[in-house]
Amino acid sequence: WSESLNAWAVTRYDDVVALLRDTRLTSGRGVPDSLGVTDGPLREIMDSWMMALDGPAHRRARALISRAFTPRAVEAMRPAIVHAAEHLVDGVQRSGGGDIVTGLAFALPMEVTRQLFGVDADTWDTEVVALFDPVRRSGEGWVSDMQRLADFLAGYVPHAGGTGLFSALQAPDDDGNILSEHEQ
């Protein structure tokens, strides 16, 4: 039991695997519930997250999403990711060190996601990164900030045709199954 997390922390590999395979446990709606998101558009979005889905719904979403992340597609992203990682590591080195979470573990996925959405760096910093910075947050509360984030990102997701990750995510599979708008 972790007093600081107010939750159980399972850290041994064998225990984690056992819990993940235990069908009595579900991902359920724990994240939105724990954050006080009980209804509205943000709840609908959070309920569609793959980590909130179980069983057949999870397998369906995973199968549809995995089609966009083929080995070829992932390999095509490698040069940009390596370049971003090298740039971030260089920055940490130039500054004489720093917090690895801030300088790399947070910054690299943010940069890769920014590139996937095709948003310029300044706009991304203002509209996305700032939402996770306690000093720059809106002060309107977490739910409001996440709704703003969802609204902002929706403007960058193309709604039909084209090529790339979003088109692959929007394409139906052989049986005509597609991701919902929130799952995309």
Side-chain angles (χ1 to χ4, degrees):
W1 177 256
S2 169
E3 291 296 329
S4 63
L5 296 174
N6 196 30
W8 289 100
V10 181
T11 58
R12 283 188 13 181
Y13 178 82
D14 290 341
D15 293 338
V16 171
V17 170
L19 289 172
L20 288 172
R21 292 183 176 159
D22 189 330
T23 57
R24 295 172 299 167
L25 303 174
T26 63
S27 56
R29 306 300 186 248
V31 173
D33 287 344
S34 69
L35 296 169
V37 182
T38 57
D39 59 10
L42 185 58
R43 178 64 188 230
E44 291 173 23
I45 292 168
M46 294 175 86
D47 282 348
S48 71
W49 289 352
M50 217 166 44
M51 68 181 185
L53 301 174
D54 289 306
H58 179 85
R59 284 190 294 279
R60 179 189 80 46
R62 184 175 177 183
L64 290 166
I65 290 169
S66 67
R67 296 172 314 127
F69 291 94
T70 64
R72 174 182 275 173
V74 172
E75 187 60 34
M77 293 168 31
R78 180 185 302 273
I81 294 170
V82 167
H83 180 266
E86 289 173 346
H87 176 75
L88 292 167
V89 168
D90 288 347
V92 171
Q93 287 177 328
R94 276 192 308 278
S95 67
D99 182 343
I100 195 72
V101 171
T102 302
L104 191 62
F106 175 78
L108 183 58
M110 273 292 200
E111 176 59 16
V112 171
T113 305
R114 180 193 73 77
Q115 290 178 19
L116 288 172
F117 276 93
V119 180
D120 70 87
D122 290 337
T123 301
W124 187 260
D125 181 67
T126 302
E127 298 294 332
V128 178
V129 177
L131 294 176
F132 297 92
D133 181 346
V135 175
R136 298 191 295 159
R137 292 193 57 197
S138 72
E140 297 171 15
W142 187 89
V143 172
S144 175
D145 287 346
M146 291 303 101
Q147 184 63 57
R148 275 193 15 237
L149 175 64
D151 293 343
F152 172 77
L153 293 177
Y156 283 88
V157 177
H159 293 286
T163 60
L165 175 69
F166 292 118
S167 294
L169 289 172
Q170 294 169 344
D173 68 7
D174 293 340
D175 297 324
N177 296 314
I178 60 170
L179 292 169
S180 72
E181 182 178 334
H182 292 313
E183 289 171 331
Q184 294 176 23

